[in-house]
Amino acid sequence: MDITTMMQMLGEGFITSLQIFALTLVGALPLGVVVVALRMCRFAPVRLIARAYISVMRGTPLMLQMFAIYFMPFYVFGVQLTPSSKWQAAVFAFIVNYAAYFAEIYRSGLQSVPRGQYEAAEVLGYSKFQTLVHIVVPQVVKRIMPAIGNEVITLVKDTSLAFAIGVGEMFSTAKALVASQVSMVPFVIAAAIYWAFNFAVELVLGSIEKRLAYYRD
Amino acid sequence: MPAVVSIKNARKSFGEVEVLRDISLEVARGEVVAVIGPSGGGKSTLLRCMTLLETLDAGGLSYGEVDAAVPGEDGASVYAKGDALKRARGRFGLVFQNYNLFPHFTVMRNIVDAPIRVQRRDRAEVEQRARELIERMGLEGCEDKVPCQLSGGQQQRVAIARALAMDPEVIFFDEPTSALDPELTAGVLRVIRGLAAEDMTMVVVTHEMDFAREVADRVVFMDGGVIVEEGPAEQVLDNPREDRTRAFLARIEK
């Protein structure tokens, strides 16, 4: 098999990887907002539940979470698995896992905004909601960008974990090609594609940070 | 005419420590009150209670006819809800020791955002007023800069403009020059002096005795959570009646 064919097959796999990546961001970034709201809720039991959720999501392997989410409907509820179940389970697992990390990043940002900012807003008569939306969140976004960038780049590579439940993303394709072609070249190509994409991600993150660099605090 | 702001029999404790013990203070329209005293004497807590950043344990607080807190049956403060509290907040401005400008807003937006968003005033009118304030604060050309591009003294003047743009009846200053070096201090004091000349009602917590002597109609000396002595500047600063006042003034003279 020539390299062009390999690259074509890997490219098709990478489209699946990209879909996992994009859907995870679209789902987990907002879900993280919900989780951090619960995590910082005034009502203690709610806070405790959110903490437990974050603890489990961060404290167990994503791969096992994927297994659990894939097999649970069948073993516990007897739901018949369909061909698209794997895909759905993988995306769902990624979203709930990454939301926990994003929630903690949001919390670090929220807690790093100085108390004086809240006090200045309070004295000026801003409501709690106005303070959050117009004063706090814009500053949080700037503060958490580097940490979010870390997660986003990790996510690109983590999509390869979907291989574990048999989702045909790029890493699965590479592994199959390595076995059938008795060659390490597919791995090299896959690595190059991951890196090239992450390089583009870095550029995007960099431009966002640059846009927010008009002020220091 | 009721006092612009009045706090009566105020008490406040943090845990076991009683920081305010039965403090009463009234400020009349146009009056400039300087609050002096050693650190930990309760000056800042008094200011934070009067600006509703802390709640009193006991006593009352009112702005003109608006009661922010009234003493209940047992003397414990009962705070107003929602609208009354909002109206009380609209009566005063506060200038912080470390400015607390919004770093992501330009100078202009720092000044106009609250009048537009909170008071729902007309943007054009507010911006016009902001430009006047900017000129008056000696900040021409800084409209589109962000706070980090300004010196501490300029930032503090923006903070004063931000407070003034809300048209408050009284402005509180919490050690407004403590974070500034002497050169920058002068510019901020000049602005406050100018406000005093226009009969702006002000309560200034300060360590600048010369400044207090010059602008204050009344000097309040606080120590140990009580007002030890108050009166005209010449009396409190130059001929104090209380030993504690004398001891404090002697300490800072050195």
Side-chain angles (χ1 to χ4, degrees), chain A residues 85-149:
Chain A
S85 298
K86 289 174 182 173
W87 160 256
Q88 288 162 358
V91 171
F92 187 81
F94 272 106
I95 289 173
V96 293
N97 179 277
Y98 270 76
Y101 284 94
F102 287 140
E104 284 296 274
I105 292 173
Y106 297 159
R107 188 167 67 90
S108 75
L110 288 166
Q111 291 180 344
S112 76
V113 172
R115 226 167 65 121
Q117 292 289 305
Y118 292 92
E119 291 184 349
E122 191 180 330
V123 168
L124 288 167
Y126 288 90
S127 68
K128 290 233 159 68
F129 183 74
Q130 286 174 327
T131 304
L132 195 66
V133 172
H134 301 290
I135 309 297
V136 176
V137 168
Q139 296 186 56
V140 166
V141 170
K142 179 184 167 90
R143 283 161 183 260
I144 64 174
M145 271 313 289
I148 293 285

Side-chain angles (χ1 to χ4, degrees), chain A residues 117 119 122 126 134 214, chain B residues 48 89 101 104 113 117:
Chain A
Q117 292 289 305
E119 291 184 349
E122 191 180 330
Y126 288 90
H134 301 290
Y214 72 92
Chain B
R48 291 176 61 80
R89 268 205 187 93
L101 293 176
H104 57 305
D113 198 74
R117 205 182 294 287

Side-chain angles (χ1 to χ4, degrees), chain B residues 65-142:
Chain B
E65 79 293 351
V66 181
D67 290 326
V70 291
E73 296 272 304
D74 53 352
S77 302
V78 180
Y79 272 82
K81 301 252 180 297
D83 227 38
L85 215 53
K86 217 168 161 180
R87 279 204 296 154
R89 268 205 187 93
R91 297 290 180 97
F92 63 83
L94 171 62
V95 174
F96 296 85
Q97 182 177 346
N98 50 1
Y99 339 127
N100 289 336
L101 293 176
F102 302 127
H104 57 305
F105 286 175
T106 61
V107 166
M108 186 53 126
R109 176 119 189 248
N110 262 289
I111 298 171
V112 302
D113 198 74
I116 293 171
R117 205 182 294 287
V118 176
Q119 297 180 326
R120 305 200 162 281
R121 279 155 57 187
D122 174 61
R123 174 177 288 273
E125 174 249 326
V126 172
E127 283 180 351
Q128 178 54 36
R129 170 103 166 102
R131 273 188 284 273
E132 287 164 23
L133 286 168
I134 284 169
E135 193 188 323
R136 180 155 167 208
M137 296 293 142
L139 295 164
E140 299 96 331
C142 293

Side-chain angles (χ1 to χ4, degrees), chain B residues 171-245:
Chain B
I171 300 192
F172 296 93
F173 293 83
D174 188 8
E175 302 189 18
T177 60
S178 292
L180 302 174
D181 59 39
E183 197 189 333
L184 300 178
T185 297
V188 171
L189 294 187
R190 198 178 310 126
V191 165
I192 299 176
R193 218 176 275 131
L195 293 174
E198 287 170 31
D199 292 331
M200 182 78 214
T201 312
M202 294 186 281
V203 177
V204 188
V205 171
T206 185
H207 292 298
E208 305 274 342
M209 293 306 146
D210 292 335
F211 174 71
R213 182 177 288 115
E214 185 191 343
V215 302
D217 300 307
R218 182 154 50 119
V219 173
V220 172
F221 173 67
M222 274 185 80
D223 190 11
V226 296
I227 293 178
V228 177
E229 182 167 359
E230 65 178 307
E234 313 83 66
Q235 181 208 309
V236 176
L237 297 175
D238 300 329
N239 299 297
R241 281 186 292 224
E242 301 290 329
D243 289 342
R244 272 201 279 178
T245 318

